[in-house]
Amino acid sequence: MHSFIILAILLVELNVCLPQQQGGDNDALFRVVNPDDQFLTITYKSEPAYSSLFLYTNRSATNFSLSVRSTSTGVATVLEQVMISPCQEETTWNQTGNMSAQIFLKPNSSSLENFYKCYRISLYITPVYIGYSSLKFYAAFDNNSENMFIGSMTLRCIRQRHPLDTMYDISVVIWAILIMLAMGTDLDFQVIKENLRRPKAPIIALISQFTIMPLIAYGVIMLMGFTGGKALGFFTMGCSPGGTLSNVYSKLFNGDLSISVTMTTLSTVASLGMLPLWLFTLGTTIPADDGIEKIKLPFVNILQSLVVMIVPLAIGVLIKYKLPKVARFIMKWLKVMFITVIIYFLTVAIYVNRYMFPALDGKMVASACMLSYGGFLLGGIFAWLCRFDWKLIKTISLETGMQNAAVCVVVVQSLTEQPDTDLAIILPVASAMLAYWPFYIILPIYLIRQKILSRRENKNETGIEGTSSEDTRKSLELRVSQERDEENEESEKEEVESSMLPKV
C-alpha cells in the first residue's frame, strides 16, 4: 500500500513538472537535461561544433523527431534538425531540488525501473557573440505534424580568458589606485574648506551627480530594453562619482577649478555610500536575461572595491601633509603618469577589450551618448535654475556628465561571473570614450576663439595707449611752441621799448 502511494505521488510530480503533448500521445513526457551544468556553455570565436544533451522520455513517447531553435541568433545559431541516438542503457530520473537544472539519476526503487527512456541528442551550434540564448525544443510525431514544445535549455556563450586578461584586470586596479593616490597629494584642503563655507555649489553638484545620472542611466536601460550584465554595468556607470578629467576640462573651459576639485573629492567619498545605495534599491529592479535569474549583487565585494579606491585618496592626503618631499616627487611625475595611462588605455586596453567592438552598434552608441550628454545638459540646466553664474554652470555641467570609469570597472569586476562581467564593461567603456570626443572638436575651437578675443583686447589696449601717448606728445609740442612765441613777443616788445627811449 505504501509503495502504491509513493508511486502515485511520483507520477503526479512528473506530470506537474513535465509538459504533456497537445494532440497525439497524451501520455508522452519529455525532459531535456544537461547533467554537467545549469547552462549549455560554448566559447566565443570557437569553431562550430556539436554539443550533447540528454533527452528523457516515457514509453508513450515513440516515433518522434526533434527540432531546436535559438531565441537569440546574435549569441548563437543552431541547426534546426537534431541528431538523436539511444543512450547505453535505459534510466530514470530523480530530482535534486535544483529548479533550474534537474539531475537525472537511477532511482533506488526497482518498481520504477525502465519507466523512462534515455536519448543522447546532438546540436550543431555556431557561436556568434558573448551572451545568453534560450534553446527551444520541439517534438513532432508521425501521427501529428504539428510541433509540440517540450522544453528549453539556457545557452551561454563566454569569452575564453587568457593570462593577458588577468594582467589587464590587475593593472586597471593598480592604475586606479595610483590615480587616486596622486589625486590625494594634489588636494588643497584649504581651498576645499573655503568652498565648503559656501556649500551651495558643492551640494547642488552632489545632488546633480547622484540623482540625475542614476535616473538617466535607468531611463535609458528601460527605453533601450537592456537586460542582465549590460544593464547592470550601464547603471553602475551612472551611479559612479565624477572623474578627474572634469577638473582638466573645467580649467580649459575657464570654469571654477577649485569648485571642480572640491566636487570631485566629495563625490568620490560619497560614492562609498551612494553607489551601493542605488545598486541595492533601483538596481535590483533591472530585468534579467531571458531564462536566467537576476544577477546577485555581492555587497561585501562592492564595498571592498570602493574602499580600495577611497583609501589611496586618504593616503595621498597624508603624504602631502606628513611627507611633503614625497608629495612633490609624485606631483613632479603626475603629468608623465597621466600620459602613460592614456597611452596604456589606447593600446593595451583596446587590444584586450577588442571583443567589445562588434557589440557597439547604433543602439549601444546612442545609449552611451545619452548618458554623458544628458548629464552635461541636465546638470547645466539644474545649475542655471539654481541661479549660478556661467562659470559655475560650466563647472557643474562637466562634473555631472563626466563619470569615473575606473571606479565603475573595478566595481563591475566584483559583481558577476562570465559572460556578465564582459557584458557589463561594454557600455561603461563606450560611454567613457564617447563622452570626450566632442571636446576634441569643441576645445580647439574654443581655445582659438579665446586667443582671438585676447589678441583683440590687447590690440585695443595698445591702440588706446598709442593714442594717449600721441596726444601727450602733441600737447607738449604745442606748449613749447606757445612758450617760444611768448618769448619772441617779449623780446620784440623789449626792443620796441628800448628804441623808444631817448638817446644820450
Side-chain angles (χ1 to χ4, degrees):
M1 183 65 179
H2 291 291
S3 299
F4 177 77
I5 293 172
I6 293 171
L7 177 61
I9 292 172
L10 286 173
L11 289 175
V12 169
E13 287 183 353
L14 290 176
N15 280 279
V16 171
C17 295
L18 302 177
Q20 295 188 0
Q21 182 179 351
Q22 306 296 323
D25 292 327
N26 290 327
D27 296 329
L29 302 174
F30 296 86
R31 183 59 65 106
V32 180
V33 179
N34 180 20
D36 299 326
D37 195 4
Q38 175 183 353
F39 305 110
L40 176 61
T41 303
I42 59 175
T43 306
Y44 175 52
K45 285 196 172 180
S46 62
E47 294 295 325
Y50 281 98
S51 298
S52 294
L53 297 172
F54 292 101
L55 174 69
Y56 292 85
T57 71
N58 64 350
R59 292 190 181 279
S60 297
T62 58
N63 299 323
F64 64 89
S65 62
L66 287 183
S67 61
V68 62
R69 298 166 194 168
S70 173
T71 58
S72 179
T73 55
V75 173
T77 59
V78 57
L79 285 181
E80 188 171 346
Q81 296 302 315
V82 177
M83 295 176 59
I84 306 176
S85 59
C87 296
Q88 292 290 329
E89 58 181 5
E90 293 184 341
T91 184
T92 55
W93 66 278
N94 182 24
Q95 288 181 313
T96 63
N98 185 348
M99 296 303 294
S100 58
Q102 278 86 12
I103 305 302
F104 291 69
L105 305 170
K106 283 188 176 182
N108 295 326
S109 174
S110 59
S111 61
L112 292 178
E113 191 72 17
N114 301 327
F115 183 76
Y116 277 77
K117 282 189 175 181
C118 171
Y119 298 91
R120 181 183 293 274
I121 58 177
S122 298
L123 316 174
Y124 191 73
I125 303 175
T126 303
V128 178
Y129 194 66
I130 57 174
Y132 294 96
S133 178
S134 183
L135 301 180
K136 304 288 185 182
F137 291 90
Y138 299 86
F141 292 81
D142 289 344
N143 59 352
N144 185 4
S145 59
E146 183 181 353
N147 285 342
M148 180 188 75
F149 173 72
I150 63 170
S152 63
M153 172 65 64
T154 302
L155 177 145
R156 66 174 177 179
C157 183
I158 65 173
R159 182 173 63 96
Q160 185 176 2
R161 291 181 62 83
H162 300 90
L164 188 60
D165 293 288
T166 305
M167 291 172 59
Y168 171 74
D169 292 342
I170 296 171
S171 68
V172 168
V173 177
I174 292 172
W175 280 122
I177 291 172
L178 290 175
I179 289 171
M180 298 304 291
L181 183 70
M183 181 179 168
T185 58
D186 194 34
L187 284 180
D188 191 338
F189 266 97
Q190 200 62 34
V191 173
I192 294 175
K193 186 178 177 181
E194 201 63 37
N195 287 322
L196 290 178
R197 289 178 180 175
R198 301 184 299 275
K200 184 180 177 182
I203 290 173
I204 293 300
L206 278 177
I207 294 172
S208 180
Q209 181 81 63
F210 289 111
T211 303
I212 290 176
M213 294 304 288
L215 293 178
I216 291 176
Y218 191 80
V220 172
I221 288 168
M222 294 299 143
L223 178 66
M224 295 297 186
F226 292 128
T227 58
K230 286 181 184 177
L232 190 58
F234 192 64
F235 187 66
T236 305
M237 184 67 173
C239 301
S240 297
T244 53
L245 276 177
S246 61
N247 308 148
V248 177
Y249 282 106
S250 292
K251 181 177 177 61
L252 292 174
F253 283 102
N254 294 328
D256 193 322
L257 181 59
S258 65
I259 290 290
S260 179
V261 172
T262 302
M263 289 188 294
T264 301
T265 306
L266 292 178
S267 68
T268 302
V269 176
S271 67
L272 193 62
M274 294 304 298
L275 202 156
L277 177 65
W278 278 110
L279 287 179
F280 286 92
T281 52
L282 199 59
T284 57
T285 65
I286 291 174
D289 287 305
D290 185 29
I292 65 168
E293 297 178 355
K294 287 186 178 181
I295 298 172
K296 295 179 181 179
L297 303 176
F299 178 77
V300 175
N301 292 350
I302 294 172
L303 203 60
Q304 286 175 347
S305 300
L306 290 171
V307 168
V308 165
M309 303 301 293
I310 300 298
V311 169
L313 182 71
I315 292 174
V317 173
L318 289 175
I319 289 173
K320 178 174 182 177
Y321 290 98
K322 299 296 182 180
L323 301 170
K325 290 184 178 179
V326 177
R328 284 194 294 270
F329 176 80
I330 293 173
M331 291 302 301
K332 181 181 178 181
W333 292 97
L334 186 60
K335 288 183 179 179
V336 177
M337 187 180 72
F338 273 111
I339 292 171
T340 305
V341 169
I342 292 171
I343 294 172
Y344 178 80
F345 280 99
L346 288 176
T347 53
V348 177
I350 289 177
Y351 177 76
V352 172
N353 297 309
R354 62 192 182 279
Y355 74 91
M356 296 182 184
F357 295 105
L360 294 178
D361 53 10
K363 185 178 176 181
M364 287 278 200
V365 172
S367 302
C369 291
M370 279 192 277
L371 178 63
S372 299
Y373 306 153
F376 293 140
L377 180 62
L378 294 181
I381 291 173
F382 189 39
W384 176 73
L385 291 174
C386 294
R387 298 179 179 273
F388 288 122
D389 58 24
W390 177 233
K391 196 172 186 178
L392 273 177
I393 289 173
K394 287 188 290 185
T395 305
I396 293 175
S397 173
L398 291 168
E399 192 67 30
T400 303
M402 289 188 174
Q403 307 298 100
N404 194 328
V407 172
C408 176
V409 170
V410 171
V411 171
V412 162
Q413 285 177 346
S414 70
L415 285 180
T416 55
E417 297 179 354
Q418 295 291 353
D420 297 304
T421 304
D422 286 337
L423 292 171
I425 293 174
I426 295 174
L427 276 168
V429 172
S431 182
M433 290 191 301
L434 294 170
Y436 306 131
W437 74 263
F439 292 107
Y440 300 145
I441 300 172
I442 297 171
L443 185 59
I445 296 172
Y446 179 82
L447 293 176
I448 291 169
R449 180 178 176 275
Q450 290 295 107
K451 193 72 174 176
I452 292 171
L453 291 175
S454 178
R455 283 185 178 180
R456 284 180 181 176
E457 289 177 1
N458 292 335
K459 189 175 181 181
N460 291 334
E461 289 176 0
T462 304
I464 292 170
E465 290 176 1
T467 303
S468 61
S469 61
E470 182 69 20
D471 292 342
T472 304
R473 185 180 61 80
K474 287 183 178 180
S475 63
L476 288 173
E477 289 179 354
L478 181 62
R479 185 179 297 176
V480 170
S481 176
Q482 288 175 351
E483 289 177 355
R484 285 178 181 176
D485 290 342
E486 289 176 359
E487 288 177 358
N488 291 334
E489 287 177 0
E490 288 178 359
S491 62
E492 289 177 357
K493 190 176 180 180
E494 288 177 356
E495 288 179 359
V496 171
E497 289 176 355
S498 59
S499 62
M500 293 177 61
L501 291 172
K503 293 181 179 180
V504 179

